[in-house]
Amino acid sequence: MKIQTLKRTTLDRECPSDLRRASRNLDPTYHPLQRAREYTRAVTSAKLERMFAHPLIGNLGNGHRDSVTCSSLSRRSLLPLVSGSADGTVAIWDLTSRTQVAEIPAHTRVVTGVVFAVNGETFYSCSDDGFIHQWTLHANSEQQKHNSIATWRIPGSFKSIDHHWMDISFATASDSAVQLWTPERSTPVQTYSELWGSDDTVTTVRFHPVEHHLLAGCSADRGIGLFDTRSGVALQKTILRMRSNDLQWNPMEPMNFVVANEDYNAYTFDMRKLDQPTRIYKGHTSAVMSAAWSPTGREFATGSYDRTIRIFSLQEGAARDIYHTKRMQRVMTVQYTLDHKFIISGSDESNLRLWKARASEKLGQLTTREEAAQQYRSSLVKKYQHLPEIKRIHKARKLPKVIKKQTAQTMIMKESADRKQANRVKYDRKGEHSFVGERKKVVVKKVD
């Protein structure tokens, strides 16, 4: 019996050692293991991101001799930074070299606020001693000293200062009033007291970046309010559960602002509707002392008494990154640089620190291939960030033991309160109890 078999010549094969000819489609879209290959690359990218996460660049000079209480960046330039200390000194810094340009004995008591003028060449400082001083960035050529250009005085103490975004005027918050000043006059142009029927101390005042006649402020009675400088009329006010320590307007969406609160949270509000916050940002385990928006308006940084800096995305209630060091104490002030690349923090142990806004970002000029590879890796992590393995790596952060314990304790307290409220609602026969949304609990009362 004769058996015929299939015969192939070596011309039909890609390689003489192949048993059969393989036809391949080189288009990566039709790769049979495309998702598996991408997932493996995403895991590797997430690991590389955490391996190269070194956010701290370094300290600025030798720091102050006392606690850093406030700081300010120029709205027109990237380099100059001004900071105020609890011992009354004001320091001028050069961010390029991270050195101190000058140290000015400006006040006799704690410096409560510093702000740059609209021209970027001069800045103002206010203090608990009741003085406001105007200074220049450059020293006197003859004496090589920074002399005060102008001085203003009130019978009280200043708590905050902010400069107009387009005009030469500036506003201050004092013990019982808000004052509007101009450099040409030695007394306030306007004084607003008892705006909402009370003379509580206004602790923070901020000019609106677009509606220049609008001022927002935080007061000691746990309130945040808006008032018009043209008519001197209070527009609206909201009383929160606890006091707010700082308020900052969103530079890209000026109808929104963020407040740093004593209840360990930060809140964003819409100025058109102050009866509840638009979003709650949680994570800190102590009072939030300061906040600073990124120039893009898509994220902001907060500094807290728990000795950490947290960076929040505008649309997410949990921090995307947490910065801390072993020596850093309570963070009193934070600033975002205008190029969206660096964060500056001032803390209680008298140091100013420079951080990268993106912990794993490479500093310096990138080649075209490096930039393309970096964008590809970040896209992969973003695409697969919800998968368990990548989520575990991408969200992993090493925290001090104290903060871990405080976070766990806070979670236990929250679960206990929720369970107690659920039992009240479940066994309530008179209908007195009901579930209340988390955002509705923030505002205690709205004052019109």
Side-chain angles (χ1 to χ4, degrees):
M1 185 173 123
K2 188 177 181 181
I3 298 176
Q4 292 184 354
T5 59
L6 294 175
K7 294 182 179 179
R8 297 184 184 275
T9 63
T10 56
L11 298 176
D12 297 330
R13 303 175 185 175
E14 291 184 356
C15 182
S17 61
D18 288 344
L19 295 177
R20 59 183 63 85
R21 185 177 183 178
S23 59
R24 298 176 182 174
N25 189 343
L26 300 180
D27 189 352
T29 308
Y30 300 102
H31 194 282
L33 299 176
Q34 179 197 7
R35 290 189 64 85
R37 183 175 57 179
E38 274 194 347
Y39 176 75
T40 304
R41 290 178 179 175
V43 173
T44 305
S45 301
K47 290 180 179 179
L48 288 174
E49 180 184 355
R50 297 315 310 153
M51 286 172 58
F52 292 105
H54 301 290
L56 180 62
I57 298 176
N59 294 349
L60 297 185
N62 296 323
H64 287 274
R65 288 185 294 272
D66 206 338
S67 172
V68 181
T69 56
C70 55
S71 62
S72 178
L73 284 167
S74 174
R75 296 170 182 169
R76 292 180 174 269
S77 177
L78 293 173
L79 300 182
L81 168 73
V82 174
S83 61
S85 174
D87 61 359
T89 61
V90 173
I92 304 174
W93 305 88
D94 181 22
L95 293 181
T96 305
S97 58
R98 285 186 281 159
T99 57
Q100 188 181 90
V101 176
E103 186 177 25
I104 308 170
H107 299 275
T108 58
R109 297 181 64 181
V110 55
V111 182
T112 54
V114 289
V115 66
F116 273 90
V118 67
N119 57 10
E121 296 295 327
T122 62
F123 64 93
Y124 298 85
S125 65
C126 67
S127 171
D128 268 348
D129 59 6
F131 282 94
I132 303 173
H133 294 295
Q134 184 182 11
W135 311 89
T136 59
L137 282 177
H138 308 290
N140 191 330
S141 58
E142 298 178 357
Q143 301 177 355
Q144 294 298 319
K145 296 171 68 175
H146 288 75
N147 297 322
S148 176
I149 301 175
T151 302
W152 297 266
R153 175 77 165 94
I154 64 166
S157 60
F158 290 106
K159 302 299 179 185
S160 178
I161 186 171
D162 193 44
H163 201 278
H164 199 280
W165 286 75
M166 299 295 293
D167 200 359
I168 60 173
S169 60
F170 59 95
T172 57
S174 64
D175 292 332
S176 59
V178 174
Q179 297 92 2
L180 189 65
W181 306 76
T182 58
E184 290 86 2
R185 295 183 58 177
S186 60
T187 57
V189 178
Q190 292 177 342
T191 301
Y192 313 101
S193 59
E194 298 187 4
L195 291 171
W196 291 277
S198 64
D199 56 351
D200 283 304
T201 301
V202 179
T203 57
T204 304
V205 62
R206 295 288 182 264
F207 271 105
H208 195 280
V210 176
E211 299 290 339
H212 304 303
H213 58 273
L214 190 65
L215 273 173
C218 303
S219 54
D221 62 347
R222 303 169 296 155
I224 53 175
L226 306 173
F227 51 94
D228 195 333
T229 59
R230 295 174 299 181
S231 58
V233 176
L235 302 179
Q236 52 183 326
K237 182 181 181 180
T238 294
I239 308 295
L240 307 185
R241 289 183 301 179
M242 297 189 73
R243 193 180 71 176
S244 298
N245 295 314
D246 195 9
L247 184 149
Q248 297 290 340
W249 292 99
N250 189 327
M252 300 304 291
E253 298 176 358
M255 75 288 293
N256 299 324
F257 60 89
V258 62
V259 292
N261 203 268
E262 286 276 347
D263 63 356
Y264 310 170
N265 298 330
Y267 304 101
T268 50
F269 281 88
D270 191 328
M271 60 178 283
R272 300 164 294 185
K273 189 179 179 182
L274 294 182
D275 55 350
Q276 70 178 29
T278 56
R279 193 170 290 275
I280 304 175
Y281 303 89
K282 299 182 177 182
H284 283 292
T285 59
S286 191
V288 186
M289 300 305 297
S290 60
W293 282 99
S294 164
T296 61
R298 306 311 302 167
E299 62 183 28
F300 62 91
T302 57
S304 171
Y305 250 46
D306 63 4
R307 307 189 297 276
T308 64
I309 301 167
R310 297 184 186 238
I311 305 174
F312 293 92
S313 176
L314 182 61
Q315 302 299 328
E316 297 181 6
R320 72 161 175 84
D321 219 332
I322 306 171
Y323 295 164
H324 60 89
T325 63
K326 191 173 289 187
R327 295 185 178 183
M328 187 168 68
Q329 297 301 312
R330 297 174 294 189
V331 182
M332 308 302 292
T333 174
V334 291
Q335 296 289 336
Y336 242 109
T337 58
L338 292 181
D339 57 358
H340 179 57
K341 288 188 176 182
F342 304 101
I343 296 173
I344 303 159
S345 68
S347 48
D348 232 5
E349 88 292 354
S350 73
N351 272 340
L352 284 158
R353 290 180 173 85
L354 187 64
W355 310 79
K356 290 189 287 187
R358 301 281 172 179
S360 58
E361 184 180 13
K362 181 183 176 181
L363 297 180
Q365 185 68 34
L366 297 178
T367 63
T368 306
R369 291 184 63 184
E370 284 179 328
E371 190 173 352
Q374 186 176 3
Q375 292 177 356
Y376 178 62
R377 289 196 299 266
S378 61
S379 300
L380 284 179
V381 174
K382 184 177 180 180
K383 181 178 180 180
Y384 294 97
Q385 64 182 340
H386 303 293
L387 295 180
E389 182 69 13
I390 296 178
K391 184 177 181 180
R392 180 184 64 83
I393 300 170
H394 184 57
K395 299 291 184 181
R397 296 293 185 276
K398 291 185 178 181
L399 294 175
K401 188 181 293 184
V402 176
I403 295 179
K404 278 190 174 182
K405 288 183 178 180
Q406 290 175 346
T407 304
Q409 185 178 4
T410 304
M411 293 298 296
I412 292 172
M413 293 169 61
K414 183 180 183 304
E415 292 173 0
S416 176
D418 293 344
R419 186 169 58 251
K420 185 179 288 188
Q421 181 64 17
N423 289 335
R424 289 196 191 102
V425 175
K426 183 178 180 180
Y427 298 105
D428 183 19
R429 295 182 179 179
K430 298 181 181 180
E432 297 177 352
H433 300 282
S434 61
F435 289 107
V436 181
E438 192 73 18
R439 290 186 295 175
K440 293 182 178 180
K441 297 178 184 178
V442 177
V443 175
V444 176
K445 183 176 65 173
K446 185 178 178 183
V447 182
D448 292 322

